[in-house]
Amino acid sequence: MKILVADDDAQILRALRITLRARGYQVVVATDGVEAIAQAAAHKPDLYLIDLGMPRLDGIGLITSLRGWTQAPILVVSGRTGSGDKVDALDAGADDYVTKPFDLDELLARLRALARRSAGPRADEPVVTFGGVTVDLALKVVTRAGAGAVHLTPTEWQVLEILVRHPGRLVTREQILTEIWGTQHATSSGYLRLYLSQLRKKLEPDPAAPRHLLTEAGMGYRFVPDGGLDPARGRDPGDVAAGTA
């Protein structure tokens, strides 16, 4: 696997290059966003490690540029710890976010997870339908009757995929947060409120009264397919209104 590492910190760049090469990865490096674009075009990496605070073109600009022509996984490795920076990076097209200083074993585990996600589609992946929406898990395409393809950000797709793979079952907030953002964000429920709200706007017939992407008060979320659990009758006692995130 070929990885492009873009970071203006020479010490981190050198350490990552040595560590990744020792584990069998091919490594291409860049010290700013403009150089990273040139290296990406020349080498076609399978995965990207990107810092946000780079000269000439910052990490957000680089991610946006890359997403214009590649869907290769992007892992942000940044010293910026604010939730706004993380949301901006994920919405721009990043797949995961690790803050500096980072634990090397965790970073390598994130890389392996991203590599597994980016593997080719399996022939046995199902197609899920609900409320006029079709989710093709193999092709990672969402369409809506009468509207065609629905654009989802990478993170919106991850949240939706987790839910539709567990039809009718409660998926806790901690499960979703851990799978997408890692254990350090297992209590950051604000992320999910944002992404569930966006998914409902794009996929529910009436986002204010959702029937398929439901909130279970104080616990998590539940995906209800067509002909499945009746959200008006089948949720656990004490649940709040389905539209509450």
Side-chain angles (χ1 to χ4, degrees):
M1 171 174 282
K2 187 182 297 181
I3 299 177
L4 187 149
V5 182
D7 198 309
D8 64 339
D9 187 318
Q11 186 174 2
I12 288 180
L13 205 60
R14 180 176 181 275
L16 286 174
R17 179 169 51 196
I18 293 172
T19 298
L20 294 173
R21 284 179 176 172
R23 284 162 174 78
Y25 295 104
Q26 299 178 54
V27 181
V28 179
V29 299
T31 57
D32 61 60
V34 173
E35 183 185 1
I37 291 176
Q39 292 282 49
H43 296 281
K44 304 296 190 297
D46 302 299
L47 195 148
Y48 295 82
L49 285 180
I50 293 176
D51 181 33
L52 292 185
M54 295 185 294
R56 294 212 286 173
L57 180 66
D58 67 9
I60 298 297
L62 174 57
I63 293 168
T64 301
S65 177
L66 291 172
R67 281 295 175 245
W69 58 274
T70 179
Q71 290 303 308
I74 296 174
L75 172 59
V76 171
V77 183
S78 175
R80 300 179 184 178
T81 60
S83 60
D85 292 311
K86 296 173 186 177
V87 170
D88 288 345
L90 293 166
D91 279 345
D95 296 281
D96 202 353
Y97 195 110
V98 174
T99 56
K100 299 175 183 177
F102 53 83
D103 178 83
L104 183 57
D105 288 336
E106 180 184 356
L107 180 69
L108 293 170
R110 299 286 188 97
L111 290 176
R112 292 192 295 271
L114 288 174
R116 287 194 298 270
R117 290 181 201 166
S118 65
R122 289 166 33 192
D124 60 346
E125 290 282 33
V127 174
V128 180
T129 61
F130 62 94
V133 173
T134 300
V135 181
D136 189 321
L137 291 169
L139 298 179
K140 297 188 176 182
V141 172
V142 180
T143 56
R144 188 169 182 176
V150 178
H151 173 72
L152 300 183
T153 68
T155 305
E156 288 169 353
W157 168 263
Q158 288 179 305
V159 174
L160 179 64
E161 182 180 16
I162 291 169
L163 292 174
V164 300
R165 285 187 182 278
H166 301 86
R169 290 172 50 189
L170 170 69
V171 182
T172 68
R173 290 171 175 167
E174 290 76 13
Q175 284 177 265
I176 302 174
L177 288 163
T178 298
E179 184 165 340
I180 297 177
W181 289 288
T183 55
Q184 65 187 36
H185 297 293
T187 59
S188 304
S189 58
Y191 286 126
L192 291 188
R193 285 195 292 271
L194 170 66
Y195 289 110
L196 262 296
S197 175
Q198 290 300 110
L199 284 171
R200 286 167 177 157
K201 289 177 183 177
K202 294 179 179 182
L203 304 179
E204 289 278 3
D206 181 0
R211 294 189 56 82
H212 303 286
L213 303 174
L214 306 183
T215 296
E216 300 289 354
M219 296 183 291
Y221 301 93
R222 193 188 304 271
F223 165 62
V224 179
D226 292 329
L229 180 70
D230 182 350
R233 297 183 295 106
R235 293 187 296 135
D236 297 330
D239 287 347
V240 297
T244 305

